[in-house]
Amino acid sequence: MTKTVENYIAGLSGTPAEVAKRLHAALIAAGGLTDIVKWGHPIYEAGGAVCLLKGAKDHVTFGFWRGAEMLDLDPRLEKGGGKGDMAYIRLRATYDVDDAHVARLVAKGIELNRLKGDPMK
């Protein structure tokens, strides 16, 4: 059986489940993205990978492949370890998800993919 984003979110529990539902809705509302489950968690793509969500025990990780180039858009973005361009936000409550802000971050990620190509290649 192919795992869907909805199935992934349904498999979470507690606050991370509620945060993931809220974030997924905001990502879909932002427009321009397709969603798949890859590497065991939801990935959102447009011209290549843009962002991901990944449930943890007490938060949801909201990550961007080109997040290191977006640090000025959100002070909560933390650069990932290593040489990669990933950066993450740890969302701990549904009120941490702001639709307009998610849309701005997604638009920037899509724009960077359009300008620079698929970050996975």
Side-chain angles (χ1 to χ4, degrees), residues 54-94:
K54 188 172 184 181
K57 183 179 178 181
D58 65 347
H59 68 275
V60 171
T61 299
F62 182 28
F64 290 87
W65 264 261
R66 297 189 187 280
E69 298 179 62
M70 300 166 56
L71 297 176
D72 60 328
L73 295 178
D74 192 317
R76 300 174 298 171
L77 277 165
E78 301 174 34
K79 191 163 174 356
K83 297 179 183 178
D85 290 330
M86 294 286 295
Y88 308 89
I89 300 171
R90 287 183 179 84
L91 303 170
R92 300 182 187 282
T94 55

Side-chain angles (χ1 to χ4, degrees), residues 46-50 64-73 85 104-119:
V50 174
F64 290 87
W65 264 261
R66 297 189 187 280
E69 298 179 62
M70 300 166 56
L71 297 176
D72 60 328
L73 295 178
D85 290 330
R104 281 191 298 277
L105 290 167
V106 165
K108 183 64 173 182
I110 292 172
E111 176 188 5
L112 288 168
N113 280 2
R114 185 177 48 75
L115 293 172
K116 298 182 173 201
D118 184 344

